[in-house]
Amino acid sequence: MSRRRSAVLAKGVWVVGLITVAIGLAMLAVTWDLPRAGFAFPGFSAVVGATMLSTGAILALRRAENPIGWLFLVGGSVEAILFVAAQYATGGLSGVWHLPATLAVAWLQTWLWLPGIACMTVFTFLYFPTGRLPGPRWTWVRDGAIAGLVVACIGLATSPGRIVNLGTVDNPIGNQSPLAGLILGLGFLCFFGTLGLSVASLVVRSRRGALVERLQIKWLAYAACLVGILFVPATISSGDPILPRGASLLLADLLIVSVLLVPLGIMVAILRYRLYDIDRIVSRSVSYLAVTGILIAIYIVSIVLLTRVLPFGGPIGTAASVLVAVAFFSPIRQAVQKAVDRRFDRERYDAEATVAAFAADLQTEVDLEAMRANLVEVVDRTVHPAKASLWLRQGLE
């Protein structure tokens, strides 16, 4: 396919997908007050679909030879279709509108979600970041993922039970036969097995690849780790009535944002935009998380001491505890940041140490030739240029 046709196709899929999302949002506005199962935020699929479509369109336009952009376009289109189908079925089953084939549209919710997830996970991991498989032996992993996906979709489409996101409706073609459960089990076993192998392919690339490829994988790993960290507490809090509703909603919102960071991180990695900033981002994230945890611990300890051990209760004890935490903020942040940079952003830490040492030597250095040699050496060690030289005017030598 020519580059021009690829661009036209990518833009067409993107526009149609966004129109589909807009139709679904209009339906959601009409059926907003209706009870529904699934995510706490009904527009989750719309947000994910629009993000995946936009990311896929940018990648397909800029890197048409890389299949990841097209995978994102397919995955985003699936999310958009699922979103519209859910709103269509919700309104039709509740009697808000009388449209044909309501059960058939609702049936799409039983199985269509899996191909969308496969495009965003298994196949993306296998082809990330170069757009090629790690080696010829990995073709059987791709083929196994396709076979497992097809079998699992057949099993989901024919399994009995309630429809996903439509908790009041049973699968219209659900089959009670044990064969349906066997097909579903085999499909999921094959699919999740290849999912694990696709993650392993990233580890293989990280160990064998060059510096740029390792940095690209770091961007994906960083975004995926954020999703993993927030997924468990957000899932638990959604069904835990003990936690305040505000805390549960905040965790759910943070989870949505973290999910959106995955395609954005992949886009940054493939387009190599600010690629080398990943170590700095990781170090800042770890340091801020560590500082926040330490300050919370200091606040809890101080408020317990002031209100239970010492005679300071009520607002006075709370205010004093806040002041104690604020007083410790700056020294703790500096110490933690230095320790984290030493571990996660070692190159930058070494560069800063080298520049500081050179600045100290510069104050006592009187030999111009030695200073020039030291400056070139510092530039080479910190910036790593292909070639470095220093030219001085005749009057300065």
Side-chain angles (χ1 to χ4, degrees):
M1 185 183 298
S2 65
R3 189 174 185 84
R4 183 176 180 181
R5 290 183 178 179
S6 298
V8 172
L9 179 60
K11 291 179 181 178
V13 174
W14 176 63
V15 170
V16 172
L18 291 184
I19 291 174
T20 305
V21 171
I23 294 173
L25 289 174
M27 292 181 174
L28 176 62
V30 177
T31 62
W32 183 265
D33 294 331
L34 296 178
R36 64 187 76 230
F39 294 105
F41 175 57
F44 179 82
S45 295
V47 176
V48 174
T51 304
M52 298 293 295
L53 284 166
S54 301
T55 304
I58 294 173
L59 291 177
L61 290 173
R62 299 286 298 275
R63 299 286 189 272
E65 73 284 355
N66 195 320
I68 293 180
W70 302 102
L71 288 172
F72 276 21
L73 283 173
V74 173
S77 300
V78 169
E79 286 292 328
I81 294 172
L82 282 173
F83 178 62
V84 171
Q87 312 317 315
Y88 185 100
T90 299
L93 295 172
S94 61
V96 174
W97 46 61
H98 301 283
L99 297 173
T102 299
L103 282 179
V105 174
W107 172 75
L108 293 176
Q109 299 286 322
T110 62
W111 63 274
L112 190 57
W113 57 271
L114 190 58
I117 291 179
C119 289
M120 302 175 196
T121 55
V122 178
F123 301 113
T124 295
F125 295 162
L126 283 174
Y127 284 97
F128 181 83
T130 61
R132 299 182 300 273
L133 294 174
R137 296 181 179 179
W138 291 88
T139 54
W140 70 268
V141 178
R142 180 198 60 197
D143 297 340
I146 295 174
L149 176 64
V150 172
V151 174
C153 287
I154 294 174
L156 287 170
T158 58
S159 294
R162 297 296 174 90
I163 297 178
V164 180
N165 294 334
L166 298 171
T168 59
V169 183
D170 291 327
N171 186 350
I173 62 171
N175 190 349
Q176 297 291 341
S177 172
L179 182 60
L182 179 61
I183 293 174
L184 180 61
L186 290 175
F188 271 128
L189 180 63
C190 184
F191 177 77
F192 285 108
T194 53
L195 175 59
L197 291 174
S198 67
V199 175
S201 71
L202 293 175
V203 178
V204 172
R205 289 181 189 271
S206 179
R207 291 181 176 180
R208 298 178 181 177
L211 174 61
V212 171
E213 193 168 346
R214 292 199 299 270
L215 290 174
Q216 290 173 309
I217 294 173
K218 277 187 179 181
W219 275 97
L220 174 59
Y222 174 74
C225 285
L226 288 180
V227 177
I229 291 172
L230 293 172
F231 179 78
V232 175
T235 304
I236 295 175
S237 64
S238 63
D240 190 354
I242 299 176
L243 292 177
R245 178 171 176 79
S248 300
L249 292 176
L250 177 61
L251 285 172
D253 293 339
L254 290 176
L255 179 61
I256 293 174
V257 172
S258 67
V259 170
L260 301 183
L261 289 178
V262 175
L264 295 178
I266 291 175
M267 181 176 67
V268 168
I270 294 178
L271 298 181
R272 300 184 182 182
Y273 175 74
R274 303 186 69 87
L275 185 63
Y276 288 83
D277 287 346
I278 182 60
D279 289 331
R280 186 175 180 86
I281 292 174
V282 171
S283 68
R284 288 296 181 268
S285 300
V286 174
S287 62
Y288 290 150
L289 186 62
V291 169
T292 302
I294 293 173
L295 290 178
I296 291 175
I298 292 174
Y299 173 77
I300 294 174
V301 171
S302 60
I303 200 171
V304 169
L305 290 175
L306 291 173
T307 57
R308 297 188 179 183
V309 179
L310 300 176
F312 296 99
I316 297 178
T318 303
S321 301
V322 173
L323 292 176
V324 170
V326 171
F328 278 100
F329 172 75
S330 183
I332 289 176
R333 185 188 66 80
Q334 294 177 3
V336 170
Q337 188 65 65
K338 187 175 181 180
V340 171
D341 281 347
R342 191 181 297 115
R343 173 62 181 87
F344 291 95
D345 199 1
R346 186 72 197 186
E347 185 173 354
R348 176 176 173 271
Y349 177 81
D350 292 340
E352 290 183 350
T354 302
V355 172
F358 174 73
D361 294 340
L362 194 61
Q363 297 177 1
T364 58
E365 184 62 64
V366 294
D367 187 354
L368 185 60
E369 188 62 32
M371 184 189 71
R372 178 165 56 181
N374 290 338
L375 179 58
V376 173
E377 181 183 359
V378 168
V379 171
D380 184 64
R381 290 171 56 186
T382 56
V383 184
H384 304 298
K387 183 179 180 181
S389 61
L390 177 64
W391 174 81
L392 296 176
R393 291 173 56 185
Q394 290 292 334
L396 297 179
E397 292 185 348

